[in-house]
Amino acid sequence: NSLMYHGHKTGLFNTRVDPSTPHFGPMMRSTCDLSTGSLFCIGDIFPTLRQVLPNRGIAFIFSTIQAPALIVRPESFGGIFFQLAGLMEVRAIEPNREERIAGKMTLDISGSMKMRMTSKVVKGKITLDQISMKTLTPEILSQDELDDAGFLSHEIVQRMVNDILRDGIPIPVHPLFKLRSPRLTLYDRSFEISTDFALNSKLIRQLTSQDLNDVIKRATANRRMA
């Protein structure tokens, strides 16, 4: 959870989906037809948004409200369970590329996560079990529409979260050490990281060289004072 807190404070879990985003780009519009190149778009999920702001590009801006929480169990009991609370800002993109906030909603997400480690980062992939969306701007995003969004919103958010986690969370390791083949073992509310490591020989040479230079400088200065 310390890694999750660090990721929250540094904005690691924040993300944006807009018309330029791979996979989702063509559907990130309030209005769609044959002329737009897509027969399905966000406006079909949120008809009030389509009615109030037709023919706009749409951007979703996600940020965490608090650090995600992880509950760790052995693999035989389901592995890692997580909870994530966030704010989704919906922006309308005008033809001149100017953006304005159209609506906001909160998201409460829970699911399971599979994690793996490399020598530098922890990577995760999530499967959502539940997602709850609450509107903060009912005049644009009605609660009934959010409730009806159902399966499609589930898939969109799941892919968004996995895109956030794709690059991984950096492991805070002193540059003097290099991890080799780290392994992750899950227990009840804890996990164990075991790894071999190598010392950064280049950095050691730099440090010892600097220490030796400092010793020589101090000795020279002492002789001059004497």
Side-chain angles (χ1 to χ4, degrees):
N1 281 323
S2 296
L3 288 175
M4 298 296 105
Y5 180 78
H6 174 73
H8 166 65
K9 295 298 289 185
T10 58
L12 182 66
F13 303 117
N14 300 347
T15 190
R16 174 187 172 103
V17 178
D18 60 28
S20 65
T21 303
H23 306 297
F24 295 111
M27 65 177 291
M28 298 303 294
R29 296 192 56 81
S30 61
T31 306
C32 50
D33 52 34
L34 287 175
S35 64
T36 64
S38 177
L39 296 179
F40 180 81
C41 59
I42 292 298
D44 294 321
I45 306 175
F46 305 119
T48 304
L49 175 66
R50 178 180 60 200
Q51 180 179 356
V52 176
L53 295 167
N55 299 310
R56 265 77 163 189
I58 299 296
F60 287 166
I61 315 296
F62 177 83
S63 58
T64 49
I65 296 174
Q66 59 191 34
L70 297 182
I71 299 175
V72 181
R73 298 187 179 95
E75 290 285 359
S76 57
F77 288 89
I80 300 173
F81 173 81
F82 79 94
Q83 292 179 312
L84 176 67
L87 175 69
M88 184 80 81
E89 187 177 275
V90 180
R91 295 185 183 179
I93 305 173
E94 303 292 343
N96 62 2
R97 298 184 180 275
E98 290 186 2
E99 298 183 10
R100 65 186 182 96
I101 298 174
K104 294 181 180 181
M105 68 180 91
T106 60
L107 290 88
D108 288 301
I109 303 167
S110 62
S112 58
M113 175 185 293
K114 292 187 179 296
M115 297 180 68
R116 64 184 181 89
M117 297 185 64
T118 71
S119 61
K120 295 183 179 180
V121 298
V122 178
K123 293 190 174 184
K125 184 175 183 179
I126 64 100
T127 300
L128 293 185
D129 296 329
Q130 184 175 357
I131 174 172
S132 174
M133 298 180 289
K134 300 296 183 183
T135 184
L136 299 178
T137 52
E139 68 279 5
I140 296 292
L141 302 170
S142 77
Q143 189 59 51
D144 287 342
E145 291 172 359
L146 293 183
D147 293 340
D148 291 341
F151 176 77
L152 185 59
S153 296
H154 180 284
E155 292 300 307
I156 292 174
V157 173
Q158 179 168 290
R159 179 166 287 188
M160 285 180 63
V161 176
N162 280 325
D163 284 347
I164 295 171
L165 298 174
R166 180 179 53 198
D167 294 331
I169 303 170
I171 301 173
V173 177
H174 192 281
L176 184 61
F177 301 97
K178 293 181 179 179
L179 303 186
R180 288 183 173 176
S181 303
R183 297 172 296 279
L184 183 68
T185 305
L186 304 181
Y187 299 102
D188 187 20
R189 296 186 178 273
S190 66
F191 61 85
E192 177 184 82
I193 298 175
S194 56
T195 182
D196 297 327
F197 67 89
L199 294 176
N200 187 332
S201 57
K202 181 178 179 180
L203 180 57
I204 291 176
R205 286 196 299 269
Q206 292 174 347
L207 293 174
T208 54
S209 175
Q210 182 62 45
D211 289 343
L212 181 59
N213 288 336
D214 289 343
V215 170
I216 294 173
K217 288 179 180 179
R218 286 197 296 269
T220 302
N222 290 336
R223 284 199 300 269
R224 289 175 179 173
M225 292 176 62

